[in-house]
Every structure is written in structure tokens, then in C-alpha cells.
């Protein structure tokens, strides 16, 4: 007979542990619940080093991971998980799923039955070709006018920034397994578009992004809102002042964050490129063969990028091209990322654990009004709520699913937020200003040292 567990036992297995692979592997069992079955990802299991989705499982230790498991995995994952099965949730500990959760689960099953998760390969071939055309135009302008026209160099830099942004969306689709049924093909496509073309590490991205999907806007868990000391997205983040070496700098940045927001976005690509390189060279990619692929493909990106800049331009114009392409891409990427969730409610881990998976995705997401321009510029991420509920759904199917999701939200009284891109950015700046005022008030009430 299978062992039965209480929630107290499951939560205790994760309590007080530093959520790193090394810490979890050296401190006994670490339980996760999936559809009322209990799995151990802790000491001696090797699960966290094997898991293809990165360390997302770390954010779900001691919790019910049913929703995240369903949206990230195929049917054969359950048979693999049997290797880590240790028992069942006690019958009196089983909670009935919310009606909203059940209805979304039914909708997902319906979408699978009608083939909604099958992508159009012609669509993605067109997206890849159109992206390459943008890069080709940028390089042609550099080759033709790189030594004679500053304006052409600036235009080439903006085009390269746009190419990178669009490659980001294409890699995002592939690594969410929207493009191919074979996940190995998706990963290979991700390395081509993400590492070689864009310059971002696939494994770094998976580790960061899958955790974000599992726990969006959850304080101290979601890496996308872990932006202190540069930006504070909730009053909870202000608690982190005490952990910082230079609190004066942090307080200055937070005090002026509504003004500094867009200049900070300009640095986003450089920060992510640096994080990608560090992730790869510091041994975080655990499989040695994958680590070689990561380093090789990232090196190809930088050799090609820097080589063409200085081959086609005078040294000063080459530096201008590098500056424009890097900063413009930072803004192009980060504006879309920001408007997806920033300025929406932020929850503590305890509060989030009481909200079912699908409802959390809706409450923390912001859709941007669908238009041809918005759909293209954001790479379909303007359907953010739908994407979070069905991350493997190809982006060219979002417009079909959106009214169905809206209808379910109305039926169950779940707030569904959709606005224009400009209004979304306004909401973000207003939220940053609100946190700045809270930080100022907090400082006034603190005793002087």
C-alpha cells in the first residue's frame, strides 16, 4: 500500500531550505504534489540535475504543482515521473479544484482534441525568413554606408535591434515547444535563433523563464520581478533594502524609478547577455555536451556581431552601431516584457499558494489589445494571459482562444485585464511612482542612525 502524506509533511520538506540544487540534494526529501500524488525531488534522487526545464521545480517544492505540470509537459512525462513517486496525498487532505480550474482543464482538453496545439510550419518558416531579411537589410546598410554615413549606421543599428527582438519571440515559441512536436527539434531551433542569432543562452532562459511561468509575480520567487535595487515592483521588495550593501544607491534608484524606468530598460539586453555568458561559463549548464553547444553558439554570435561592425564601419561608427543596436534592443524587448506583468498584483508565496494555478496566471497578466501592429511587435505576447494558460499553444492560434478565456473569466468572476500598449506602460509608471512614494514614507518613519 502506498504511503500517505499530509500537507504539513509536504510543506515541512521544503521549509527552511535554500532553494538551490546543491542545498536540496544535501538535505533529505523534498516533496511536490501533482494531481494528489506525491513525488520526491530531494536528496539522492538526481531529479533536479536531470530535469530538462531547468530549476523551475525548485520554486514548487512543498506545493501543488499540478497546473504547472499540465501546461509544461506531454503525456509521457507521467510515466517518467513514476521513478520519483513516493505516495499519495491523504484523502482528508485532498482539496476539490476550483470550478475555474476545472473549466480551464476542460478547455485545454477540447483544444487538444481539435488540434489547436499543432503549429503551422509555413507560418514559422515565414517568421524566420522575415527575421533574416531584417538582419540582411541591416548588414547591407552597414556594408554600403558604414564608412560614410552616420545616419545609415544608426538605422542599421535600429534594424539589428529589431531583428534581435523578433528572434527573441521566435526562440521563445520554440523553447515553449510551440513549433515542433519533437522537443529536440525545438531545442535545436532555440539554439540557432536564441544563441547564434540573438545571443541569449537557451539554458539560462529556460531556468529563468519557466520559473516565471510557474510563479508569476510571486515575490522572492519570480525572477522577472527580482529587479532590486534598480526597480521595486511591490512594497514587499522594499524589505530587501536591509540586505543591500549600498542602501543609499538603492534608495536613490527606487526614489526616481518612474523617471529612470526607460533608461534602465535600455540596459536590459546587455544585462541579459552578461547573465547568459556567466550562466554558461560558471558551470550552471549541467550536461557537458550541452555546455559545449551553449558556449560555441554564444561565441559564434559575438564573433559575427563584433566582426561585421568593425569590418564594415570606421571605428567610431562601429562603436555607434554597437551602442544603438544594444540599447534599442533592450527597450524593444523590455517594453514588451514589462507590459506583460509589471504593475499587476504581486503576491507573497503564502498568498499565491491559496490561488489556483490558472487564476494566478490571469490575475498577474495583462493583455495588450490585439492589432496587426501589436501582434507583430510583441510576437504574440500581447495575448499574455492566454499564453500563460496554454504556453505550448502556437502564437498564431491565440486569437481563437482569447474569447474563450475571456468568457470563462466572466463566468467565474476572475478579473481579466486588457488595455492598449500605451495605457499599459502608463500603468507601469504609475505603479513605480506608487512604490517610490511608499519607500519615501518608509524612510521618513525609520529611526535615524
Amino acid at each position: 500500500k502506498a504511503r500517505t502524506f499530509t500537507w504539513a509533511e509536504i510543506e515541512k520538506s521544503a521549509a527552511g531550505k535554500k532553494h538551490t540544487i546543491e542545498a536540496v540534494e544535501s538535505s533529505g526529501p523534498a516533496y511536490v504534489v501533482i494531481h494528489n500524488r506525491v513525488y520526491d525531488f530531494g536528496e539522492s534522487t538526481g531529479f533536479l540535475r536531470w530535469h530538462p526545464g531547468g530549476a523551475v521545480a525548485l520554486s514548487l517544492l512543498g506545493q501543488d504543482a499540478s497546473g504547472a505540470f499540465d501546461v509544461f509537459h506531454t503525456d509521457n512525462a507521467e510515466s517518467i515521473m513514476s521513478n520519483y513517486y513516493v505516495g499519495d496525498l491523504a484523502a482528508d487532505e485532498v482539496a476539490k479544484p476550483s470550478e475555474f480550474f476545472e473549466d480551464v482543464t476542460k478547455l485545454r482538453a477540447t483544444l487538444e482534441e481539435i488540434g489547436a496545439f499543432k503549429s503551422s510550419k509555413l507560418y514559422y518558416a515565414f517568421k524566420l525568413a522575415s527575421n533574416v531579411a531584417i538582419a540582411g537589410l541591416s548588414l547591407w546598410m552597414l556594408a554600403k554606408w558604414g564608412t560614410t554615413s552616420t545616419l545609415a549606421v544608426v538605422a542599421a543599428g535600429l534594424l539589428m535591434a529589431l531583428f534581435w527582438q523578433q528572434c527573441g519571440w521566435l526562440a521563445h515559441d520554440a523553447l515553449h515547444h510551440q513549433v515542433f512536436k519533437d522537443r529536440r527539434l525545438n531545442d535545436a531551433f532555440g539554439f540557432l535563433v536564441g544563441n547564434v542569432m540573438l545571443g541569449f543562452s537557451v539554458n539560462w532562459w529556460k531556468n529563468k523563464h519557466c520559473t516565471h511561468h510557474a510563479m508569476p509575480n510571486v515575490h522572492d520567487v519570480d525572477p522577472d520581478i527580482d529587479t532590486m535595487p534598480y526597480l521595486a515592483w511591490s512594497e514587499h521588495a522594499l524589505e530587501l533594502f536591509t540586505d543591500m550593501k549600498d542602501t543609499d544607491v538603492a534608495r536613490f534608484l527606487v526614489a526616481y524609478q518612474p523617471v529612470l524606468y526607460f533608461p534602465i530598460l535600455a540596459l536590459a539586453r546587455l544585462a541579459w547577455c552578461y547573465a547568459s555568458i556567466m550562466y554558461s561559463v560558471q558551470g550552471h549548464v549541467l550536461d557537458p555536451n550541452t555546455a559545449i553547444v551553449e558556449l560555441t553558439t554564444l561565441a559564434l554570435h559575438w564573433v559575427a556581431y563584433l566582426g561585421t561592425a568593425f569590418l564594415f564601419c570606421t571605428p567610431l561608427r562601429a562603436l555607434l552601431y554597437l551602442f544603438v543596436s544594444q540599447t534599442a534592443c533592450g527597450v524593444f524587448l523590455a517594453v514588451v516584457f514589462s507590459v506583460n506583468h509589471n504593475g499587476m498584483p504581486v503576491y507573497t508565496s503564502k498568498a499565491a499558494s491559496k490561488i489556483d494555478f490558472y487564476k494566478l496566471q490571469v490575475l498577474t497578466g495583462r493583455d495588450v489589445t490585439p492589432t496587426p501592429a501589436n501582434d507583430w511587435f510583441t510576437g504574440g505576447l500581447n495575448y499574455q494571459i492566454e499564453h500563460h494558460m496554454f504556453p505550448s499553444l502556437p502564437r498564431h492560434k491565440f486569437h481563437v482562444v482569447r474569447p474563450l478565456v475571456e468568457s470563462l473569466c466572466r463566468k467565474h468572476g476572475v478579473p481579466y485585464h486588457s488595455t492598449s500598449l500605451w495605457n499599459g506602460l502608463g500603468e507601469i509608471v504609475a505603479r513605480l511612482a506608487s512604490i517610490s512614494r511608499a519607500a519615501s514614507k518608509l524612510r521618513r518613519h525609520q529611526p535615524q542612525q
Side-chain angles (χ1 to χ4, degrees):
K1 185 179 178 180
R3 177 185 169 186
T4 58
F5 291 80
T6 65
W7 271 114
E9 290 176 283
I10 292 160
E11 291 169 356
K12 184 180 179 181
S13 75
K17 290 182 180 177
K18 185 179 180 183
H19 284 193
T20 64
I21 292 176
E22 293 76 17
V24 172
E25 286 184 337
S26 62
S27 53
Y31 301 128
V32 169
V33 176
I34 300 173
H35 298 304
N36 302 322
R37 292 164 67 85
V38 181
Y39 300 88
D40 182 10
F41 297 164
E43 189 173 1
S44 303
T45 66
F47 176 86
L48 296 171
R49 292 185 180 275
W50 163 83
H51 186 229
V56 58
L58 288 170
S59 66
L60 296 166
L61 297 178
Q63 300 183 53
D64 188 333
S66 303
F69 181 83
D70 289 345
V71 302
F72 285 137
H73 300 92
T74 56
D75 292 340
N76 68 340
E78 284 199 36
S79 61
I80 297 171
M81 290 296 292
S82 63
N83 297 319
Y84 306 95
Y85 169 73
V86 292
D88 298 316
L89 199 58
D92 58 352
E93 297 275 334
V94 174
K96 186 179 185 299
S98 72
E99 292 183 1
F100 181 66
F101 186 95
E102 290 184 329
D103 276 357
V104 175
T105 302
K106 291 175 185 175
L107 174 58
R108 180 179 182 83
T110 301
L111 293 173
E112 289 174 344
E113 286 175 11
I114 65 174
F117 288 90
K118 184 177 180 180
S119 71
S120 164
K121 305 303 182 290
L122 186 61
Y123 172 84
Y124 280 110
F126 169 76
K127 294 304 297 182
L128 179 60
S130 61
N131 283 6
V132 171
I134 296 171
L137 181 57
S138 171
L139 295 175
W140 176 77
M141 293 180 72
L142 273 192
K144 189 169 180 64
W145 293 297
T147 59
T148 59
S149 172
T150 299
L151 184 60
V153 168
V154 171
L158 290 172
L159 284 169
M160 186 55 65
L162 197 58
F163 165 68
W164 286 334
Q165 185 226 35
Q166 292 296 308
C167 282
W169 311 149
L170 200 51
H172 170 272
D173 291 358
L175 297 172
H176 270 302
H177 306 296
Q178 296 178 15
V179 183
F180 301 105
K181 186 175 182 180
D182 188 329
R183 295 196 164 204
R184 292 169 299 179
L185 289 177
N186 284 312
D187 286 343
F189 192 54
F191 276 112
L192 172 64
V193 180
N195 284 44
V196 178
M197 294 184 179
L198 175 60
F200 287 178
S201 157
V202 160
N203 283 274
W204 164 80
W205 182 89
K206 280 185 177 182
N207 188 68
K208 176 178 181 290
H209 192 70
C210 291
T211 303
H212 158 70
H213 263 264
M215 303 289 275
N217 275 21
V218 176
H219 172 65
D220 218 21
V221 180
D222 182 359
D224 283 8
I225 59 170
D226 182 18
T227 52
M228 283 289 281
Y230 310 105
L231 297 169
W233 295 108
S234 71
E235 288 83 353
H236 307 298
L238 301 181
E239 301 166 5
L240 300 177
F241 277 136
T242 56
D243 298 329
M244 293 177 182
K245 294 178 181 178
D246 196 333
T247 57
D248 288 337
V249 172
R251 291 182 193 282
F252 172 83
L253 291 170
V254 170
Y256 293 99
Q257 62 182 14
V259 178
L260 296 173
Y261 170 62
F262 287 103
I264 287 173
L265 294 191
L267 302 175
R269 174 177 156 82
L270 286 169
W272 291 327
C273 284
Y274 175 77
S276 289
I277 293 169
M278 290 298 101
Y279 190 88
S280 299
V281 302
Q282 290 178 348
H284 295 294
V285 183
L286 302 178
D287 178 69
N289 292 326
T290 305
I292 292 171
V293 173
E294 283 277 16
L295 290 170
T296 302
T297 49
L298 288 176
L300 280 173
H301 170 83
W302 287 103
V303 169
Y305 171 53
L306 297 174
T308 52
F310 287 97
L311 175 66
F312 294 141
C313 301
T314 61
L316 285 178
R317 287 195 175 99
L319 292 174
L320 176 63
Y321 170 75
L322 300 181
F323 174 79
V324 171
S325 57
Q326 293 291 334
T327 56
C329 182
V331 173
F332 293 165
L333 282 171
V335 158
V336 176
F337 289 146
S338 292
V339 84
N340 289 341
H341 296 278
N342 294 153
M344 298 300 289
V346 174
Y347 298 94
T348 62
S349 295
K350 185 176 181 180
S353 69
K354 295 180 172 135
I355 304 171
D356 76 52
F357 176 81
Y358 291 117
K359 187 175 181 180
L360 183 65
Q361 309 305 312
V362 179
L363 294 176
T364 58
R366 178 192 289 111
D367 269 23
V368 170
T369 309
T371 66
N374 283 343
D375 291 0
W376 177 80
F377 183 75
T378 66
L381 292 179
N382 53 322
Y383 298 90
Q384 186 63 197
I385 293 171
E386 291 73 21
H387 169 60
H388 262 253
M389 296 175 80
F390 310 107
S392 59
L393 185 74
R395 76 164 97 156
H396 53 83
K397 304 286 184 71
F398 286 147
H399 69 283
V400 177
V401 175
R402 188 177 197 257
L404 303 176
V405 171
E406 283 188 280
S407 176
L408 281 183
C409 289
R410 281 195 301 271
K411 175 183 175 182
H412 295 284
V414 178
Y416 178 103
H417 186 46
S418 179
T419 188
S420 70
L421 179 62
W422 300 113
N423 284 345
L425 291 172
E427 290 172 3
I428 291 170
V429 173
R431 180 60 173 164
L432 290 171
S434 170
I435 300 302
S436 290
R437 291 191 294 271
S440 177
K441 185 177 180 180
L442 179 66
R443 188 173 188 178
R444 286 198 303 270
H445 285 81
Q446 285 180 336
Q448 297 295 318
Q449 298 293 326

